Amino acid sequence: MQRAVSSYPFAPSVKVKLLNAGFHSAADLCDLRPLQLSKEAGISQEEAVEVLQAVRCEPGQERAAASQLTALELLEREQELGSIVTFCSALDTALGGGLPVGKTTEVCGAPGVGKTQLCIQLAVDAQIPVCFGGLGGKSLYIDTEGSFLVQRAVDIAQAAVEHCGLLAEDAEQQESLKEFTVETVLSNLFLVRCHDYVELLAETYLLADFLAHHPEIRLVVIDSIAFPFRHDFDDLSQRTRLLNGLAQQLIQMATNHNVAVILTNQMTTKVWNGHSKLVPALGESWGHAATQRLILHWEGTNRLASLYKSPSQTEATVRYQITAQGFRDVPHSNQPKASVDPTVSQSGSMSKRPRMEEV
Amino acid sequence: MVVLRDGMCPGLSEEMVVALRAADITTVEDLLSSDTEDLAQKCSVSYKALLAVRRVLLAQHTAFPVSGDDLYEDLMSSTAIVSTGNSSLDKLLDSGLYTGELTELAGGPGSGKTQVCFGVTVNISYQLKQSVIYIDSTGGLSASRLLQILQKICKLEEQMEALQRIQVYRVFDIFSLIDCLQSLQCTGLQRASAGGGSVKAVIVDSVSAVISPILGGKQNEGMSMMMQVAGVLKTIAKDFNVAVLVTNTVTRDCNGNLKAGLGQSWSHVPRTRIILQRFESPGSTCSSLRTATLAKSSRQPCLLKEEFDLQCWGRSEDQLYEVSGKRKLEKNSPY
């Protein structure tokens, strides 16, 4: 087929040499030997071999057949994947069962609203054994801000283990409880500390290998993705390009290795037309990066979570609270009418954390 | 720019190719643009043989002009208009998506582009009983949502049949996208249509997710790859008579108005462009209402606006009338 040489993933120098030698389409190349090609185009033997392999193996048949599905097959696969509960039933219902595996979710919120708490809770919940309705997998936590505290993870893990202990009824569940202890939870939680954006990008490149070696990992947490990119970045268009590339790599990993990816983002103030409102940081193009977007915000002393963008769930706002045991529901009698548009700010009350004791 | 090779046409032998190359003639273009007598003397090749070769090559590589009448006949017999399933969008698009053309949906995050793509997909696979090819590059494709929409309008066996007519490809970077489109061009489309009904639409959601990481900065390949994608999409649309629908992001221009992303060069690629926005209404709760603005069209005046509900695809005919009546009531009610 007449496919242009410039559309193949070769190094730019190789492409320039091929084009200068007069090879513009795949049809020109396919009859040549590597030696002939390297002489005519002035490229090395190995490069010539690579070029000919890429051009000849009509990737059409095999690769397309491998990655092609009908929607019916996709539906079956999605139903097998399951989701990770958050222990806040209202939020789980809004998300359609919990955090979906195989998709990227972004959690945005003002400081102190509970993003890291949610991440630690999810990292523990991903390990709940299968007979309790969980995934029984491991978690990878990439920390860029240094906000991961082991003591807090221990508290949350302890509460989760106790909760499952209370639920255990039959012999199978009692058996699996023996493997679900605070020690095993902590040993199945892999922690990576990245100090700047270069380390974060490197980590994502290595992630594909890591996930291939540890196929039991079901959750990847990046807390937070905004922090390394908001400071010391002079070239904003480069930042956008890097972020978009990062988003594509993450969704590729989520799909190929069946993991749930959760990213934490910060909030920034946008001023226009004389109003100011709180919007998620990293720019408008970043809004397209994650498949789902959850915005956590304050309303007086209540914490609310709004599902702002999702391909399969309707938008909803629910209340939650952070207790000593972790991320939890608010007791039913206290549920207010939670239908406020999260993007409309009310005279700055949502930007500041209320300075009063929580009852 | 086709390189001269022996066996390309009768009369072009290996010795002739070598002789021509010695005279610096490597491609067909070089041969056709040079003087035949001169060349025959320089390469010591027979003048008659060279003339014969030249005639055959000309015939092989010329484009044939088509009369306007034939073109019109062709268009009338092969173009189809694929309804989107939503009457407001159909109004904007002059009754639907035209096959043989590229239509673009642009919008900010959460504005409903993926939901519109789902609605179009379900409409084609269930109502029109034709196949759809859905190329997903953002991970936003959720088969359970497609099932949800189908469950409200048809029974179980029909749901499964409709889902089987939707072919899904998941590509996450520009080279996989080009590979996928090339393979579709070569063989895929015929194979896809084997499963009952021909392919009527190819949906790429989204095209900006794979192109924006390579555009700009010191990279000079970005534009070239973007135009390759555009070229393949247009060829697929034309050759196989399918409607191509792509989604894109939006940016703001200097006056603060919305325009489609990916820059000036891409803005000329789609034939029709619709910009989606959330519905601006006072005291808005999280609603599913959206406005669609026609930003570029060769058939309708631009800047036409329509409002619609994203949930309209999952409703039956009677429910649709009910809803529109209800909305009128809400407008007049005190709150």
Side-chain angles (χ1 to χ4, degrees):
Chain A
M1 201 62 216
Q2 292 291 337
R3 181 172 164 179
V5 158
S6 47
S7 71
Y8 284 99
F10 305 142
S13 55
V14 172
K15 274 192 206 178
V16 167
K17 289 187 188 151
L18 286 173
L19 290 174
N20 284 340
F23 298 109
H24 289 267
S25 79
D28 297 337
L29 283 174
C30 55
D31 294 333
L32 291 179
R33 292 270 136 69
L35 207 52
Q36 261 179 308
L37 182 59
S38 73
K39 262 195 223 148
E40 282 189 39
I43 54 181
S44 76
Q45 276 257 323
E46 298 89 29
E47 288 169 345
V49 169
E50 260 178 44
V51 166
L52 287 169
Q53 266 178 354
V55 169
R56 259 184 220 146
C57 106
E58 261 320 312
Q61 273 70 24
E62 307 96 38
R63 217 184 300 169
S67 65
Q68 174 192 1
L69 307 162
T70 60
L72 196 58
E73 292 162 21
L74 186 62
L75 183 66
E76 285 163 24
R77 271 200 212 179
E78 276 183 18
Q79 285 173 342
E80 281 167 31
L81 284 178
S83 43
I84 305 180
V85 289
T86 58
F87 272 2
C88 169
S89 57
L91 186 57
D92 286 338
T93 324
L95 288 173
L99 205 75
V101 171
K103 307 244 182 258
T104 46
T105 308
E106 186 189 342
V107 176
C108 324
V113 75
K115 309 184 289 293
T116 306
Q117 299 297 312
L118 178 59
C119 291
I120 302 181
Q121 181 73 61
L122 286 167
V124 168
D125 290 347
Q127 303 179 34
I128 295 180
V130 179
C131 49
F132 285 103
L135 294 178
K138 305 189 180 177
S139 315
L140 173 64
Y141 198 105
I142 302 179
D143 185 14
T144 58
E145 289 179 332
S147 47
F148 182 83
L149 288 175
V150 185
Q151 293 87 343
R152 185 62 179 146
V154 168
D155 288 341
I156 293 184
Q158 202 140 27
V161 168
E162 276 169 16
H163 185 92
C164 287
L166 290 173
L167 285 178
E169 291 158 352
D170 56 29
E172 197 194 333
Q173 290 181 332
Q174 305 277 4
E175 261 307 306
S176 54
L177 253 191
K178 293 200 190 120
E179 274 138 51
F180 187 57
T181 62
V182 178
E183 286 79 28
T184 50
V185 167
L186 290 179
S187 63
N188 286 336
L189 180 59
F190 299 99
L191 181 63
V192 177
R193 178 83 171 91
C194 294
H195 297 93
D196 57 24
Y197 78 94
V198 178
E199 285 185 32
L200 182 60
L201 288 174
E203 184 59 39
T204 7
Y205 274 110
L206 298 175
L207 206 51
D209 261 342
F210 186 81
L211 289 176
H213 283 127
H214 298 263
E216 323 83 32
I217 294 192
R218 283 285 159 272
L219 176 70
V220 174
V221 181
I222 302 188
D223 178 20
S224 69
I225 202 157
F227 185 72
F229 284 98
R230 286 183 86 185
H231 306 278
D232 303 330
F233 232 105
D234 297 322
D235 189 357
L236 282 182
S237 61
Q238 190 195 23
R239 183 181 91 170
T240 315
R241 279 196 303 279
L242 287 176
L243 282 172
N244 288 342
L246 188 62
Q248 288 305 109
Q249 277 181 314
L250 288 173
I251 184 65
Q252 188 168 17
M253 268 185 296
T255 317
N256 293 343
H257 295 106
N258 291 334
V259 291
V261 179
I262 180 162
L263 313 165
T264 332
N265 195 1
Q266 297 166 351
M267 301 292 262
T268 182
T269 314
K270 181 165 147 177
V271 183
W272 62 310
N273 281 353
H275 306 295
S276 75
K277 73 182 184 189
L278 269 188
V279 294
L282 295 181
E284 216 172 290
S285 59
W286 176 250
H288 298 274
T291 320
Q292 272 188 334
R293 193 176 236 191
L294 202 60
I295 300 191
L296 307 180
H297 56 111
W298 295 97
E299 187 188 297
T301 52
N302 301 324
R303 296 173 198 250
L304 297 175
S306 301
L307 186 63
Y308 188 73
K309 172 189 169 189
S310 167
S312 54
Q313 307 299 121
T314 52
E315 301 177 358
T317 307
V318 298
R319 267 191 73 190
Y320 68 93
Q321 63 174 354
I322 314 272
T323 61
Q325 285 90 24
F327 205 82
R328 291 290 185 274
D329 254 322
V330 164
H332 193 71
S333 52
N334 297 353
Q335 289 278 356
K337 273 211 215 19
S339 54
V340 182
D341 192 296
T343 54
V344 173
S345 134
Q346 293 142 2
S347 60
S349 64
M350 277 199 276
S351 52
K352 291 213 194 82
R353 186 178 178 176
R355 296 180 193 286
M356 52 181 105
E357 285 295 305
E358 289 223 354
V359 179
Chain B
M1 293 289 270
V2 187
V3 174
L4 282 171
R5 214 170 295 119
D6 68 327
M8 216 182 221
C9 71
L12 194 62
S13 59
E14 179 70 44
E15 306 92 54
M16 199 186 274
V17 174
V18 170
L20 286 172
R21 208 168 287 180
D24 230 1
I25 307 281
T26 42
T27 63
V28 172
E29 211 186 61
D30 293 335
L31 176 60
L32 293 176
S33 54
S34 58
D35 187 29
T36 327
E37 271 188 42
D38 242 357
L39 204 53
Q41 275 177 349
K42 235 196 286 185
C43 309
S44 57
V45 171
S46 117
Y47 176 69
K48 272 208 184 123
L50 206 56
L51 209 58
V53 164
R54 194 191 152 103
R55 207 173 298 138
V56 176
L57 284 176
L58 261 176
Q60 272 181 356
H61 289 92
T62 327
F64 288 106
V66 182
S67 79
D69 200 30
D70 289 336
L71 198 60
Y72 186 65
E73 291 275 337
D74 198 29
L75 213 63
M76 292 304 276
S77 60
S78 61
T79 313
I81 306 182
V82 179
S83 160
T84 57
N86 177 323
S87 52
S88 321
L89 278 179
D90 281 346
K91 227 188 286 180
L92 278 189
L93 291 170
D94 196 19
S95 67
L97 297 169
Y98 280 63
T99 59
E101 289 184 9
L102 211 85
T103 312
E104 183 182 77
L105 277 176
S111 56
K113 311 181 286 292
T114 309
Q115 295 301 313
V116 173
C117 290
F118 286 170
V120 172
T121 310
V122 162
N123 193 56
I124 297 180
S125 83
Y126 171 64
Q127 300 280 4
L128 302 177
K129 306 254 186 299
Q130 306 286 350
S131 305
V132 182
I133 293 189
Y134 197 108
I135 302 179
D136 179 32
S137 68
T138 55
L141 176 61
S142 155
S144 31
R145 172 71 183 141
L146 286 173
L147 184 65
Q148 215 178 46
I149 302 178
L150 279 169
Q151 270 169 346
K152 301 210 179 110
I153 51 180
C154 59
K155 301 187 279 294
L156 188 65
E157 315 84 47
E158 289 172 325
Q159 288 164 20
M160 298 299 127
E161 263 176 37
L163 282 181
Q164 274 183 323
R165 286 188 210 112
I166 305 174
Q167 297 280 341
V168 172
Y169 292 88
R170 289 186 291 184
V171 292
F172 300 110
D173 64 276
I174 187 76
F175 297 111
S176 325
L177 178 62
I178 292 187
D179 270 345
C180 176
L181 290 174
Q182 286 283 348
S183 79
L184 277 180
Q185 201 181 357
C186 298
T187 53
L189 273 171
Q190 277 91 335
R191 238 184 314 136
S193 51
S198 55
V199 178
K200 271 286 164 274
V202 174
I203 301 184
V204 184
D205 177 23
S206 77
V207 87
S208 55
V210 288
I211 295 181
S212 45
I214 54 170
L215 273 184
K218 297 219 184 85
Q219 304 162 100
N220 32 24
E221 302 232 296
M223 290 282 220
S224 137
M225 307 295 296
M226 181 168 82
M227 284 311 159
Q228 306 252 355
V229 171
V232 180
L233 283 173
K234 284 194 165 176
T235 319
I236 290 181
K238 212 60 205 171
D239 289 347
F240 298 104
N241 285 322
V242 292
V244 178
L245 180 66
V246 299
T247 59
N248 194 359
T249 56
V250 282
T251 52
R252 289 197 183 266
D253 63 14
C254 43
N255 298 329
N257 300 322
L258 281 181
K259 64 172 187 184
L262 290 181
Q264 287 268 22
S265 312
W266 178 265
S267 67
H268 297 284
V269 170
R271 180 77 77 90
T272 316
R273 175 177 293 123
I274 290 186
I275 298 193
L276 293 175
Q277 283 170 280
R278 281 174 176 253
F279 190 60
E280 305 281 328
S281 82
S284 64
T285 55
C286 304
S287 77
S288 53
L289 295 176
R290 298 289 184 272
T291 51
T293 316
L294 190 62
K296 177 184 180 194
S297 165
S298 37
R299 282 181 280 267
Q300 303 258 58
C302 281
L303 301 180
L304 281 182
K305 246 192 195 176
E306 285 284 336
E307 289 162 18
F308 65 101
D309 191 340
L310 281 180
Q311 294 176 350
C312 74
W313 279 282
R315 291 207 189 98
S316 60
E317 281 298 313
D318 335 299
Q319 280 178 323
L320 265 173
Y321 288 124
E322 225 184 81
V323 165
S324 56
K326 206 167 155 199
R327 209 186 300 165
K328 283 201 194 109
L329 215 70
E330 273 179 0
K331 272 194 188 147
N332 296 332
S333 65
Y335 66 97

